[in-house]
Amino acid sequence: MNEIFDDSTLTEIAHLICGDETSLLYRKGYEIAEFFQRAGWDDVPEYDGTPRHKWARELLKERQEDGTDDAERAILRLANRLEYYNQQQEYRATLKRLNEVLVLDGRRIGEDGSQPALVRCEAGFEDEVLQLPRVELKVSVKDVVSDPDLATAVQLRLDEARTCYEHGAYTSAIIMLGSLLEGVLAHAAQVRSAGVRMPKPLRSMGLNDFVDFAFKNKWIEHDAKLASELVRHYRNLVHPLAEKRTGHSPNRDTLDMCWPVVNATLNDLAATATATATATATATATATATAPPAPLSVRAPAERGRGGNLNASAQRPTPASVARRRPGGGPVVGT
């Protein structure tokens, strides 16, 4: 199904294509025609000398009225880095302005792999819509999770939560974040708990147990501990009956409150990882240094004879040697 854009949206898109503002990439009339060709349009007419903005706007409106997806193609080309070779500032300015225009029409630019894509969002002003976490994630998943396979799984959940956010699937996003949070805290408990008494077997612990355990051992700060209760509460809405009992479905505001909790927890875990590893290594070294020396093993007489002294067998008493030690040096009776 082709995207249908409001006339005012197409008017602003035409301005962006022309690049009339100083921060944008300026295109001459013939360059606008070439732009449409790069966007995948068929049968692009030659520029006829009409004012550039009017010409671009009319083409966009005509193509939309013809039922093609050419307007969408033009918008995605505006968001494509390939259009801005060695013009990074112009690209960023265009993308920012493009999202400000699109969000009023209930869309924004997201990503499909490495390519720009149009995604639905709540219509509003840019400073009100899609303001992702106010607590910035300052670390990567690999800074927190040392197991490569688990790190991959955690990163996948983080990416899926972001995709859910962009498409308005707020309950799904929170469930993803809750499972991610429990996973990283369980990993921390597993790899950092040397010499620390666990409150219960690891497999019997839940998110609340892991949060308390992490806070008790100073792996996360007090604000992350308190706020994680919110994530745990909404994560439990994975059960529809729980949502029915609560009488509230998560919305964008709910997710905006939960996401910073996850970011703060990951930041705390990464910040304390080095300190925890150092403390564990110090404790191990101290225990080794103060441990009593292992007792020397006592070998049986036969083993001593076969041991490190190669002359041991020659030193065994013989009748002759005993006789030499006896007074008079006579033979031993019974030999």
Side-chain angles (χ1 to χ4, degrees):
M1 180 178 178
N2 297 333
E3 294 279 352
I4 304 299
F5 299 93
D6 188 81
D7 282 353
S8 61
T9 300
L10 295 180
T11 298
E12 294 300 322
I13 296 301
H15 277 301
L16 292 175
I17 293 172
C18 294
D20 292 328
E21 297 178 18
T22 55
S23 59
L24 304 177
L25 178 61
Y26 180 85
R27 294 179 179 87
K28 298 177 181 179
Y30 73 90
E31 291 174 327
I32 295 174
E34 292 174 350
F35 168 84
F36 286 136
Q37 290 173 345
R38 289 193 298 274
W41 285 27
D42 295 325
D43 302 322
V44 180
E46 290 186 5
Y47 177 60
D48 60 6
T50 304
R52 294 175 307 115
H53 175 262
K54 180 180 179 181
W55 188 72
R57 183 190 60 197
E58 291 305 316
L59 280 179
L60 289 167
K61 293 178 64 176
E62 286 175 9
R63 297 290 173 124
Q64 178 163 282
E65 290 170 359
D66 290 343
T68 71
D69 60 356
D70 284 352
E72 180 180 351
R73 290 173 183 265
I75 289 170
L76 294 179
R77 186 65 192 184
L78 275 174
N80 196 318
R81 292 177 179 86
L82 295 176
E83 190 67 24
Y84 304 88
Y85 177 73
N86 205 26
Q87 295 166 313
Q88 204 172 66
Q89 291 183 348
E90 288 84 350
Y91 165 71
R92 291 174 177 169
T94 301
L95 189 61
K96 181 178 184 299
R97 179 64 183 143
L98 182 58
N99 272 325
E100 290 173 350
V101 171
L102 290 174
V103 78
L104 295 172
D105 211 356
R107 284 89 151 181
R108 68 179 302 277
I109 297 296
E111 285 192 357
D112 182 7
S114 60
Q115 297 299 313
L118 273 177
V119 296
R120 292 280 180 176
C121 67
E122 294 183 20
F125 291 100
E126 175 66 5
D127 60 352
E128 298 174 346
V129 177
L130 200 63
Q131 294 299 315
L132 269 178
R134 287 170 288 278
V135 177
E136 180 185 357
L137 181 61
K138 302 175 182 178
V139 298
S140 70
V141 169
K142 292 181 180 179
D143 294 328
V144 181
V145 181
S146 57
D147 181 335
D149 292 336
L150 181 60
T152 299
V154 170
Q155 183 63 55
L156 181 60
R157 277 171 167 69
L158 190 60
D159 294 341
E160 287 187 6
R162 187 173 294 275
T163 299
C164 291
Y165 189 102
E166 292 175 347
H167 289 270
Y170 304 121
T171 301
S172 298
I174 291 177
I175 291 171
M176 283 290 101
L177 292 178
S179 69
L180 181 159
L181 188 63
E182 183 167 346
V184 296
L185 288 172
H187 176 71
Q190 185 176 31
V191 301
R192 301 187 189 189
S193 59
V196 180
R197 184 177 180 181
M198 301 287 289
K200 61 177 71 173
L202 192 67
R203 67 180 60 188
S204 300
M205 294 174 67
L207 178 55
N208 193 49
D209 299 316
F210 287 126
V211 169
D212 289 343
F213 188 62
F215 175 69
K216 179 180 179 181
N217 288 281
K218 300 181 179 179
W219 302 337
I220 62 174
E221 296 183 1
H222 194 249
D223 54 356
K225 176 185 182 297
L226 290 178
S228 64
E229 176 62 25
L230 181 69
V231 179
R232 187 180 72 86
H233 171 77
Y234 282 104
R235 191 281 308 267
N236 288 340
L237 298 188
V238 66
H239 308 290
L241 287 177
E243 182 172 344
K244 179 183 177 181
R245 287 194 298 269
T246 303
H248 174 250
S249 297
N251 53 31
R252 180 167 55 85
D253 291 338
T254 312
L255 186 52
D256 281 344
M257 290 187 288
C258 290
W259 202 305
V261 179
V262 176
N263 284 355
T265 303
L266 292 175
N267 290 340
D268 288 350
L269 288 173
T272 56
T274 302
T276 302
T278 301
T280 301
T282 301
T284 303
T286 302
T288 302
T290 57
L296 296 175
S297 60
V298 179
R299 290 180 293 179
E303 292 176 341
R304 288 200 298 269
R306 295 190 298 271
N309 189 347
L310 298 177
N311 297 319
S313 59
Q315 295 174 2
R316 292 176 184 169
T318 63
S321 65
V322 172
R324 284 195 297 273
R325 290 197 298 270
R326 288 174 59 85
V332 179
V333 178
T335 59

